[in-house]
């Protein structure tokens, strides 16, 4: 797609949308939102960028394959599940700090768990999309 | 005790990582581990003598009633000593036997795991724990039997033994769970107290079927015996270990262990007696038709196992005492014979009985070991085997009425055959003229002949001084099997009686027979006629037929067309749900519950319907995808109207991404062509409409049932109190049901990996099938 307007707009939209996705992620615990939707929104931000500038450019934002996000997120989730076991609580019990931090709210294992979900979702979505788009180009070359 | 059981696993783990750095001569040191455990177990002898048992309790999963409960009583001690005692001999032997094998470290990994599992099996008091170890023995023996994995026959026998014993294990688990439910406890010690309840239960028969299937497959009882002769493909130390003291004895152990719980019931006794007797006769006769040393031993092992099952079936005090002794007798001489056969094979390269003779001239110590084992197996006076044989005849003669004669007759024939088989393996190869080609056989190393001698000598010691064992161990073993104390002492000489007469008769008939045939086996070809009805052949037939059926069935359903998969799934759903709905549910629509139709709802309805029509009838893919997108967005708006913002957000983003994905895929597809005709379209339309109708009916019907709101109220009330979140949906996702989410993201990751590998995987031309 070769549109100046889209290209210019998407350059500004990418950070905005990413920030929005983090916003959705963080507000999730008390208002509509959450890691899953947040991750999807972030992926859409990259997809938009890809449509404006081409998939190569979008992929270049990640130095490596976005697939590396998947194990990172899974690991974070697992750790957050395991943390309570060190305090004698069962696996996956939500632990929270006593005081809430202004602007972010309560900090607890569930929050980080949600961040893990967020990361996994971005990794999964982008892996699928980028893989399909890549093989698509190879096809054209042939 | 936990350390003793786990040390084998730890050793295996260490060997797995560091074994390759060891030199092959260092592997003989490993034998000191079982030896150490053996001595540790012996230290419990005084306690066991006094009629007590030692309990060891370690918590594992207390909430499910699964704990690491170990209990050491007479029976466990006997088996534990055999596993570790014979185990250490086998370990030393194997270190020499496998010296030049490139994967000797791997071999000892499997062997240690196997030994540890076996030890855990006999010590476990919790049936579920017992089952875990039971399966571990099946799995580790699979690796041991298939150790020479470059041979096809070896792989095949490994799979066969795993399928037979693993299949039996499946039933055993069912039996254990049933047992636990009926008796209310998973502890064997506590089950004894509910023995009467179990026997009176209407499920008693079923319980026995499950347990017997487990025990008979493991202990190679007819008709599951065929895996054992095939398992002879394993390296000989493995055969010696698995088939004398361990693996196959696990089934016997199980039956002995459950005799006080489930025994003395006609079902129990008769089925064991009949199975045991038949197996014993069948295998004992078969043994005489084999010329391969290990094959003879395999069949004589099956026969001996049959003997044990048979004795457990008789179930009288004398029979239980006989089985306690015979387990040890058999372990000692069978391990000795196997080790002898192993040396012969190792040094001469053949196990063919026709070719072997005169070997005493080149391997004297081995010949002595073989001779001692053969004599004990024959039941010569002054050997331990003699005492065992006496007790067996005492047990069979003790049966009521005419049954005594039948049982004694069966035992007599089997004993004679077993005796000949023992002589064929332990004596025949060593006597006669030494063929030229064997005259250069090199000296046998001490590690190879020593274990055989030790086993043979202990058989003699126990035979001459039975009182060593009697008060110390055997009484306690018989007590474990019987449940109460049996006061019979082992004697070398019982005075002149029918039993002695039978023993002498067995010996003379056997020896005469052996010398008449000069130790030659019968020609196996004579049995070829029975091949087509043998259990092995029939099982393989069933397996190959199942394979063929599975292939056709899979071809039918897994045909590679996505549309047919969808049609199959949806039509089945329509059929099943529709059937239920129209036959059993009174259909009615509760108009009172339906809210008023609002203006914008009508608008969206019209938009959706037109989008559907466009999607279905368009001839452009892009239009169809856009149509689908419109439908998706309209649905999101409906979610918004009905107060599900989270759902709407997710649906919205997902729909966006789906459209993007479709567009990406679109480029790859060939040009759109109309392949379908009107008939196919009509069929698809019909299926789609009926599916939609069914779903609508279910939705309407749902109004009629008063909704159960306990769960949603719980989440609503507790979201903030317990999880500090006001968004109930998110709290459920990350906290209340966080574990589900975790599994879901794993599924997502696997899906991504799947897509990636499907598209990126480039199969090179020659690798393509």
């Amino acid at each position: 797609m070769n549109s100046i307007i889209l290209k210019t707009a998407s350059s500004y939209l990418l950070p905005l949308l990413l920030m929005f996705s983090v916003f959705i992620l963080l507000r999730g615990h008390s208002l509509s939102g959450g890691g899953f939707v947040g991750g999807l929104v972030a992926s859409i931000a990259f997809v938009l960028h890809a449509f404006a500038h081409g998939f190569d450019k979008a992929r270049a934002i990640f130095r490596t394959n976005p697939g590396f996000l998947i194990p990172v997120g899974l690991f974070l989730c697992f750790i957050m599940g395991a943390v309570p076991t060190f305090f004698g609580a069962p696996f996956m019990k939500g632990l929270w700090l006593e005081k809430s931090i202004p602007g972010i709210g309560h900090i607890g294992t569930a929050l980080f768990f949600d961040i893990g979900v967020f990361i996994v979702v971005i990794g999964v979505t982008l892996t699928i999309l980028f893989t399909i788009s890549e093989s698509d180009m190879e096809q054209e070359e042939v | 005790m936990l350390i003793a059981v786990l040390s084998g696993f730890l050793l295996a783990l260490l060997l797995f990582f560091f074994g390759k750095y060891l030199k092959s001569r260092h592997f003989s040191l490993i034998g000191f581990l079982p030896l150490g455990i053996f001595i540790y177990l012996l230290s419990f002898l005084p306690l066991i003598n006094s009629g007590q048992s030692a309990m060891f309790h370690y918590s594992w999963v207390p909430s499910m009633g699964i704990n690491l409960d170990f209990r050491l009583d007479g029976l466990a001690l006997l088996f534990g000593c055999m596993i570790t005692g014979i185990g250490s001999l086998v370990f030393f032997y194997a270190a020499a036997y496998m010296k030049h094998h490139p994967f000797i470290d791997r071999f000892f990994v499997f062997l240690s795991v196997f030994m540890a599992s076996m030890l855990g099996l006999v010590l476990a008091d919790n049936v579920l724990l017992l089952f875990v170890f039971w399966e571990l023995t099946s799995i580790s023996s699979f690796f041991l039997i298939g150790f020479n994995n470059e041979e096809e026959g070896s792989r095949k026998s490994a799979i066969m033994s795993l399928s037979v014993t693993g299949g039996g294990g499946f039933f055993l688990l069912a039996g254990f769970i049933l047992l636990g439910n009926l008796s209310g406890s998973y502890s064997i010690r506590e089950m004894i107290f509910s023995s009467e309840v179990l026997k009176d239960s209407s499920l008693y028969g079923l319980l026995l079927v499950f347990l017997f299937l487990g025990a008979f497959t493991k202990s190679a009882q007819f008709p599951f015996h065929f895996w054992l002769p095939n398992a002879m493909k394993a390296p000989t130390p493995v055969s010696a270990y698995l088939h004398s003291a361990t693996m196959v004895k696990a089934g016997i152990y199980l039956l002995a262990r459950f005799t006080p719980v489930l025994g003395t019931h006609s079902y129990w006794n008769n089925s064991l007696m009949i199975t045991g007797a038949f197996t014993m006769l069948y295998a004992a006769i078969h043994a005489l038709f084999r010329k391969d040393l290990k094959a003879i031993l395999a069949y004589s092992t099956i026969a001996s196992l049959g003997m044990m099952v048979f004795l457990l079936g008789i179930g009288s005090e004398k029979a239980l005492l006989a089985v306690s002794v015979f387990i040890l007798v058999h372990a000692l001489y069978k391990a000795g014979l196997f080790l002898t056969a192993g040396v012969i094979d190792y040094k001469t390269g053949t196990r063919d009985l026709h070719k072997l003779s005169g070997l005493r001239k080149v391997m004297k110590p081995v010949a002595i070991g073989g001779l001692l084992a053969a004599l004990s197996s024959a039941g010569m006076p002054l050997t331990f085997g003699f005492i065992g044989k006496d007790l067996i005849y005492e047990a069979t003669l003790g049966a009521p009425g005419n049954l005594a004669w039948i049982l004694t007759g069966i035992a007599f024939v089997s004993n004679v055959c077993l005796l000949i088989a023992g002589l064929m393996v332990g004596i025949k190869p060593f006597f006669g003229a030494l063929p030229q080609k064997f005259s250069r056989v090199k000296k046998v190393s001490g590690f190879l002949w020593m274990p055989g001698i030790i086993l043979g000598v202990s058989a003699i010691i126990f035979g001459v001084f039975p009182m060593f064992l009697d008060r110390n161990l055997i009484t306690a073993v018989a007590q474990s099997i019987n449940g109460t104390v049996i006061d019979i002492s082992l004697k070398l000489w019982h005075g002149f009686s029918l039993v002695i007469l039978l023993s002498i008769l067995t010996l003379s008939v056997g020896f005469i027979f052996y010398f008449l045939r000069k130790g030659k086996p019968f020609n196996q070809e004579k049995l070829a006629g029975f091949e087509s009805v043998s259990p092995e052949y029939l099982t393989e037939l069933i397996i190959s037929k199942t394979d063929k059926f599975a292939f056709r069935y899979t071809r039918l359903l897994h045909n590679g067309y996505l549309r047919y998969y969808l049609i199959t799934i949806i039509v089945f759903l329509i059929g099943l749900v529709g059937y239920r709905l129209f036959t059993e549910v009174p259909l009615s629509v509760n108009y009172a519950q339906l809210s008023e139709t609002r203006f914008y709802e009508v608008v969206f309805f019209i938009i959706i319907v037109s989008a559907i029509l466009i999607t279905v009838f368009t001839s452009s893919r892009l239009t169809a995808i856009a149509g689908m997108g419109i439908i998706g967005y309209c649905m999101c708006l409906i979610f918004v109207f009905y107060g599900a913002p989270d759902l709407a957000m997710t649906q919205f983003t997902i729909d966006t991404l789906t459209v993007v994905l479709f567009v990406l895929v679109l480029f790859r597809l060939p040009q759109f062509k109309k392949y379908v005709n009107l008939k196919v379209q009509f069929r698809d339309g019909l299926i789609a409409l009926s599916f939609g109708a069914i779903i609508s009916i279910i939705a309407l019907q749902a109004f009629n049932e008063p909704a159960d709101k306990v769960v949603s109220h719980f989440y609503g009330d507790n979201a903030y109190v317990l999880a500090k979140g006001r968004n109930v949906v998110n709290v459920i996702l990350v906290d209340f049901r966080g574990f589900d989410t975790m599994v879901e993201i794993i599924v997502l990751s696997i899906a991504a990996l799947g897509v990636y590998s499907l598209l990126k995987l480039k199969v090179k031309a020659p690798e393509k099938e």
Side-chain angles (χ1 to χ4, degrees):
Chain A
M1 230 178 281
N2 210 352
S3 147
I4 303 265
I5 302 176
L6 188 63
K7 274 186 180 170
T8 319
S10 74
S11 306
Y12 295 102
L13 275 175
L14 177 66
L16 273 179
L17 277 173
L18 285 181
M19 283 197 303
F20 180 62
S21 73
V22 174
F23 166 69
I24 290 179
L25 158 74
L26 289 180
R27 79 200 283 265
H29 213 55
S30 297
L31 296 158
S32 300
F36 193 78
V37 187
L40 289 174
V41 170
S43 323
I44 289 175
F46 286 110
V47 170
L48 186 66
H49 193 81
F51 269 101
H53 298 273
F55 273 91
D56 286 332
K57 289 268 168 54
R59 213 174 296 122
I61 300 174
F62 295 90
R63 295 273 162 78
T64 56
N65 194 319
F68 84 94
L69 289 172
I70 300 175
V72 171
L74 280 180
F75 189 66
L76 184 64
C77 285
F78 178 76
I79 292 292
M80 284 309 129
V83 161
T85 56
F86 296 109
F87 296 95
F91 187 73
M92 288 294 308
K93 180 167 171 56
L95 294 181
W96 297 88
L97 287 182
E98 291 279 315
K99 287 179 185 164
S100 65
I101 291 166
I104 296 178
H106 285 291
I107 301 276
T109 50
L111 176 67
F112 290 103
F113 184 82
D114 221 8
I115 294 175
V117 175
F118 176 80
I119 296 173
V120 172
V121 169
I122 297 179
V124 167
T125 324
L126 291 185
T127 306
I128 295 178
L129 284 173
F130 285 176
T131 315
I132 290 178
S133 73
E134 250 174 68
S135 55
D136 174 42
M137 287 178 190
E138 281 160 18
Q139 197 76 7
E140 277 169 20
E141 282 161 22
V142 172
Chain B
M1 188 52 70
L2 187 63
I3 296 170
V5 174
L6 291 185
S7 58
F9 293 114
L10 291 177
L11 176 72
L13 206 63
L14 286 177
L15 277 178
F16 180 75
F17 287 110
F18 306 111
K20 44 187 167 297
Y21 304 113
L22 285 177
K23 295 230 168 58
S24 60
R25 63 194 143 89
H26 292 152
F27 280 95
S28 52
L29 294 177
I30 295 172
F32 285 103
L33 175 79
L35 191 63
I37 305 175
F38 178 65
I39 293 165
Y40 172 68
L41 287 175
L42 282 185
S43 71
F44 285 96
L45 259 181
L47 181 81
I48 304 297
N49 282 340
S50 56
Q52 288 168 308
S53 61
M55 280 292 300
F56 306 88
H57 177 87
Y58 307 92
S59 288
W60 189 16
V61 196
S63 54
M64 287 167 75
I66 305 174
N67 289 312
L68 295 170
D69 286 338
F70 296 111
R71 177 158 165 265
L72 189 69
D73 62 353
L75 188 65
L77 186 65
L78 171 72
F79 272 90
C81 287
M82 289 192 325
I83 292 160
T84 52
I86 296 183
S88 57
L89 294 179
V90 169
F91 272 59
F92 285 124
Y93 179 88
Y97 190 89
M98 306 289 290
K99 199 160 63 185
H100 303 298
H101 200 286
F103 296 121
I104 182 171
D105 53 331
R106 208 185 285 172
F107 178 79
F108 274 97
V109 169
F110 298 143
L111 203 60
S112 314
V113 170
F114 179 77
M115 184 204 70
S117 331
M118 220 32 234
L119 198 58
L121 197 162
V122 298
L123 289 172
D125 182 53
N126 187 304
V127 284
L128 296 177
L129 185 63
L130 193 153
F131 176 76
V132 171
F133 286 119
W134 181 279
E135 288 295 280
L136 275 175
T137 59
S138 294
I139 293 165
S140 47
S141 65
F142 165 76
F143 287 109
L144 287 170
I145 293 168
F147 188 69
N148 294 322
N149 54 14
E150 65 278 10
E151 287 168 26
E152 198 194 341
S154 192
R155 294 197 298 269
K156 192 174 161 237
S157 352
I159 290 177
M160 185 188 280
S161 74
L162 183 69
S163 353
V164 174
T165 55
F170 171 72
F171 286 103
L172 186 68
L173 179 63
F176 279 163
I177 291 172
L178 191 57
L179 200 57
N181 283 349
L182 289 179
S183 70
S185 165
Y186 284 111
S187 159
I188 300 172
R189 194 171 44 99
E190 285 166 25
M191 276 175 196
I192 294 180
F193 300 118
S194 28
S195 171
E196 293 305 317
V197 182
L198 288 169
K199 277 183 231 169
D200 291 339
S201 160
S202 56
L203 291 171
Y204 179 72
L206 189 66
L207 187 58
L208 286 194
V209 170
F210 286 155
L211 277 190
F212 285 169
L213 278 173
F216 290 171
T217 48
K218 199 85 163 180
S219 281
Q221 295 299 295
F222 189 88
F224 307 110
H225 64 280
F226 53 85
W227 71 264
L228 201 150
N230 281 305
M232 291 301 141
K233 293 279 191 309
T236 309
V238 173
S239 313
Y241 197 34
L242 258 59
H243 302 137
S244 65
T246 54
M247 176 83 170
V248 293
K249 290 274 176 69
I252 304 295
Y253 168 79
L254 188 83
L255 294 176
R257 182 53 89 201
F258 281 97
T259 299
V261 181
L262 299 168
T264 39
H265 186 288
S266 60
Y267 287 1
W268 171 276
N269 291 68
N270 292 339
S271 33
L272 286 187
M273 212 168 358
I274 293 167
T275 316
F278 189 78
T279 308
M280 176 163 85
L281 265 182
Y282 175 88
I285 293 169
H286 261 266
L288 302 184
F289 286 85
R290 296 292 183 279
K291 60 177 185 180
D292 180 348
L293 290 181
K294 281 177 83 177
I296 299 171
L297 289 176
Y299 277 99
S300 84
T301 305
I302 299 175
S304 309
L305 294 167
M307 177 79 79
M308 293 170 207
V309 172
F310 170 73
L311 287 172
L312 283 168
I314 295 175
S316 63
E317 286 193 351
K318 275 190 181 153
L320 295 181
L321 186 72
V323 83
S324 320
V325 173
F326 190 61
I327 288 171
L328 186 58
V329 170
H330 174 251
L332 288 177
Y333 80 69
K334 191 52 63 67
L337 289 177
F338 264 116
L339 296 182
T340 309
V343 183
I344 294 173
D345 184 21
Y346 185 73
K347 288 291 171 188
T348 65
T350 180
R351 298 197 305 252
D352 190 334
L353 205 54
H354 290 298
K355 293 182 189 155
L356 295 165
S357 65
L359 287 173
R360 72 176 184 287
K361 287 165 193 154
V362 284
M363 38 174 88
K364 186 152 279 166
V366 182
I368 295 172
L371 179 71
L372 290 177
L375 290 182
S376 181
S377 132
M380 279 293 267
L382 294 184
T383 61
F384 198 31
F386 175 69
I387 297 173
K389 196 152 290 174
D390 265 11
L391 285 169
I392 291 169
Y393 284 132
E394 272 188 45
T396 54
L397 285 173
N402 280 334
L403 193 59
W405 292 109
I406 300 170
L407 298 185
T408 313
I410 295 172
F412 179 75
V413 176
S414 315
N415 271 332
V416 170
C417 293
L418 278 178
L419 184 151
I420 300 169
L423 295 181
M424 287 200 305
V425 179
I427 293 185
K428 161 81 176 50
F430 297 107
F431 289 88
L434 182 71
Q436 189 60 33
K437 59 177 170 177
F438 294 146
S439 58
R440 297 227 199 110
V441 170
K442 279 188 213 134
K443 210 172 141 256
V444 182
S445 99
F447 279 118
L448 287 177
W449 60 258
M450 210 44 160
I453 298 274
I454 294 176
L455 289 169
V457 168
S458 38
I460 299 284
I461 294 176
F462 294 147
V464 181
F465 307 104
M467 47 287 208
F468 270 175
L469 278 179
D470 175 25
R471 286 292 155 205
N472 280 330
L473 187 58
I474 296 299
T475 320
V477 176
Q479 185 192 339
S480 308
I481 303 180
N482 191 34
T484 53
V485 183
I486 298 178
D487 197 26
I488 306 171
S489 55
L490 302 183
K491 275 188 219 124
L492 190 57
W493 180 247
H494 291 268
F496 203 77
S497 67
L498 191 57
V499 174
I500 295 294
L501 209 64
L502 273 169
S503 261
I504 294 168
L505 200 62
T506 312
L507 277 172
S508 33
V509 171
F511 272 101
I512 291 168
F513 203 80
Y514 172 77
F515 284 113
L516 277 182
R517 287 197 57 86
K518 298 200 179 69
K520 295 239 166 54
F522 291 102
N523 194 349
Q524 195 182 340
E525 264 133 62
K526 285 183 189 159
L527 291 180
F530 298 102
E531 188 57 20
S532 62
V533 288
S534 76
E536 177 175 4
Y537 177 78
L538 292 178
T539 312
E540 280 182 353
L541 194 72
I542 291 171
I543 290 172
S544 70
K545 291 273 177 214
T546 314
D547 264 355
K548 271 194 196 131
F549 171 74
F551 181 75
R552 288 197 192 128
Y553 179 79
T554 314
R555 262 294 144 85
L556 183 70
L557 289 181
H558 194 106
N559 44 32
Y561 291 100
L562 192 58
R563 51 180 172 278
Y564 291 128
Y565 297 169
L566 283 177
I567 289 176
T568 315
I569 294 169
I570 292 177
V571 165
F572 260 88
L573 194 76
I574 296 172
L576 290 174
V577 175
Y579 174 77
R580 246 345 239 185
L581 270 182
F582 289 109
T583 51
E584 299 187 20
V585 182
L587 292 176
S588 66
V589 178
N590 189 346
Y591 289 101
Q593 288 242 3
L594 296 178
S595 54
E596 296 240 338
T597 320
R598 281 168 289 188
F599 171 67
Y600 45 80
E601 286 167 3
V602 179
V603 173
F604 279 110
F605 177 75
I606 294 168
I607 295 176
I608 290 181
V609 171
S610 16
I612 290 173
L613 290 177
I614 289 169
T615 313
V616 172
F617 290 107
T618 184
S619 60
S620 149
R621 286 205 185 95
L622 207 57
T623 319
I625 289 166
M628 298 270 281
I630 292 173
I631 299 167
Y633 286 157
C634 289
M635 304 254 266
C636 295
L637 286 168
I638 291 175
F639 288 141
V640 173
F641 296 149
Y642 289 94
D646 281 281
L647 204 54
M649 275 167 85
T650 317
Q651 175 83 18
F652 198 83
T653 41
I654 289 279
D655 254 305
T656 312
L657 284 169
T658 315
V659 171
V660 171
L661 249 172
F662 263 125
V663 172
L664 284 177
V665 173
L666 206 64
F667 289 121
R668 303 200 55 178
L669 296 178
Q671 218 183 353
F672 189 84
K673 277 186 190 154
K674 229 182 161 96
Y675 288 110
V676 290
N677 55 26
L678 208 62
K679 222 163 106 188
V680 174
Q681 273 181 317
F682 181 74
R683 177 198 70 192
D684 292 349
L686 192 70
I687 292 173
L689 283 177
S690 15
F691 187 59
I694 289 279
I695 297 294
S696 313
I697 292 172
I698 292 174
L700 285 175
Q701 201 58 35
F703 278 128
N704 291 344
E705 305 284 329
D708 184 1
K709 293 204 167 138
V710 179
V711 179
S712 43
H713 278 306
F714 171 82
Y715 285 140
D717 294 344
N718 289 299
Y720 192 71
V721 184
L722 290 179
K724 305 197 195 277
R726 288 202 180 78
N727 179 2
V728 181
V729 177
N730 189 259
V731 168
I732 291 174
L733 280 178
V734 299
D735 203 321
F736 286 130
R737 305 206 56 95
F739 203 72
D740 290 5
T741 312
M742 187 124 137
V743 179
E744 274 156 25
I745 56 176
I746 293 172
V747 171
L748 269 184
S749 317
I750 293 170
L753 281 179
V755 171
Y756 186 81
S757 42
L758 267 180
L759 292 177
K760 291 277 180 173
L761 181 74
K762 297 219 166 21
V763 184
K764 284 178 197 140
E767 287 176 27
K768 262 182 192 163
E769 282 182 30

